[in-house]
Amino acid sequence: GQQLNQSPQSMFIQEGEDVSMNCTSSSIFNTWLWYKQEPGEGPVLLIALYKAGELTSNGRLTAQFGITRKDSFLNISASIPSDVGIYFCAGQLLNAGNMLTFGGGTRLMVKP
Amino acid sequence: GAVVSQHPSWVICKSGTSVKIECRSLDFQATTMFWYRQFPKQSLMLMATSNEGSKATYEQGVEKDKFLINHASLTLSTLTVTSAHPEDSSFYICSARLAGGPKYEQYFGPGTRLTVT
């Protein structure tokens, strides 16, 4: 099936540092979504991107939909301990019933 | 808005028994709901797509006779794990899709942790 390559797999950073993670695919997506999942919980939608080149912010989070529609990145500025969790990108494929394909996740750990 | 609930949040059952998990959209109608399974430290794997009033569409490798899905109303979908075995132990997550216009978003439930002993 379709795959999203998400990197890095994990990050261990100091509080206050900026974070960047990205997803790439060989397929073109019509929508990119970024989710955060905390232990024992379902994913929570952070940012949704609908147009190639779109840059969207949500507080300290910024995400962009790549021009080629095959990639997206998520940046977190000035990280805080509550940013800890697993971040997943997800893409919706054209002509695939708008089902989501998930990346492998980026596990973020923040040291106070 | 866009809240999805799941019940139960966790369940322990004996091997060979069946378990039903409910997924509800609390403040919106969902013509489509999705069921995912997530193993520890892994990503979400789509099991099936559930459309209200019709049969679910299962992903390759998912046994439809083992994972029974019913989507009887616009706010409720259920997943029944029949004759559960220890290898079915996992975190099961549902999502509901807000449809309409060019924007499609899925909102996820909090998940149900199933442990089969």
Side-chain angles (χ1 to χ4, degrees):
Chain A
Q2 302 299 332
Q3 289 189 335
L4 288 182
N5 300 310
Q6 186 171 348
S7 65
Q9 289 187 337
S10 63
M11 303 180 72
F12 187 65
I13 62 170
Q14 193 75 36
E15 180 179 2
E17 292 183 352
D18 297 341
V19 172
S20 183
M21 59 193 79
N22 68 85
C23 277
T24 61
S25 174
S26 57
S27 301
I28 292 175
F29 289 94
N30 57 314
T31 304
W32 281 91
L33 304 167
W34 284 93
Y35 291 88
K36 178 186 179 185
Q37 185 181 29
E38 299 189 11
E41 300 288 336
V44 174
L45 181 66
L46 298 175
I47 292 179
L49 302 161
Y50 305 103
K51 296 180 181 179
E54 181 180 356
L55 183 70
T56 298
S57 293
N58 178 7
R60 294 178 295 106
L61 279 61
T62 302
Q64 186 160 31
F65 193 154
I67 292 292
T68 64
R69 301 169 75 179
K70 295 182 178 181
D71 63 308
S72 177
F73 72 74
L74 174 71
N75 288 340
I76 305 174
S77 62
S79 60
I80 59 178
S82 62
D83 290 333
V84 166
I86 304 175
Y87 293 80
F88 289 101
C89 64
Q92 286 181 323
L93 280 167
L94 287 171
N95 302 318
N98 290 303
M99 291 185 295
L100 290 179
T101 299
F102 280 85
T106 295
R107 184 178 298 272
L108 178 64
M109 293 160 280
V110 180
K111 183 178 180 182
Chain B
V3 178
V4 177
S5 71
Q6 280 185 243
H7 178 79
S9 56
W10 59 271
V11 57
I12 301 173
C13 70
K14 292 186 176 180
S15 185
T17 61
S18 295
V19 174
K20 179 185 285 188
I21 302 170
E22 292 185 350
C23 176
R24 293 182 185 272
S25 56
L26 298 184
D27 50 2
F28 65 98
Q29 292 185 331
T31 54
T32 304
M33 290 185 174
F34 302 88
W35 287 95
Y36 295 83
R37 181 165 53 181
Q38 186 179 32
F39 292 107
K41 297 187 178 182
Q42 293 189 21
S43 189
L44 286 76
M45 297 300 297
L46 180 65
M47 298 175 66
T49 302
S50 168
N51 291 297
E52 187 265 339
S54 64
K55 291 183 179 180
T57 302
Y58 291 81
E59 293 300 298
Q60 192 173 8
V62 178
E63 299 175 59
K64 62 180 180 180
D65 294 331
K66 180 171 185 61
F67 298 99
L68 301 179
I69 293 173
N70 183 278
H71 193 158
S73 77
L74 290 172
T75 59
L76 173 65
S77 177
T78 61
L79 168 68
T80 302
V81 183
T82 62
S83 187
H85 292 285
E87 57 265 30
D88 297 325
S89 299
S90 188
F91 194 50
Y92 291 87
I93 307 173
C94 73
S95 71
R97 191 170 76 189
L98 280 169
K103 300 183 179 182
Y104 295 91
E105 296 175 355
Q106 288 186 28
Y107 291 89
F108 287 81
T112 296
R113 183 163 301 283
L114 170 64
T115 302
V116 184
T117 62

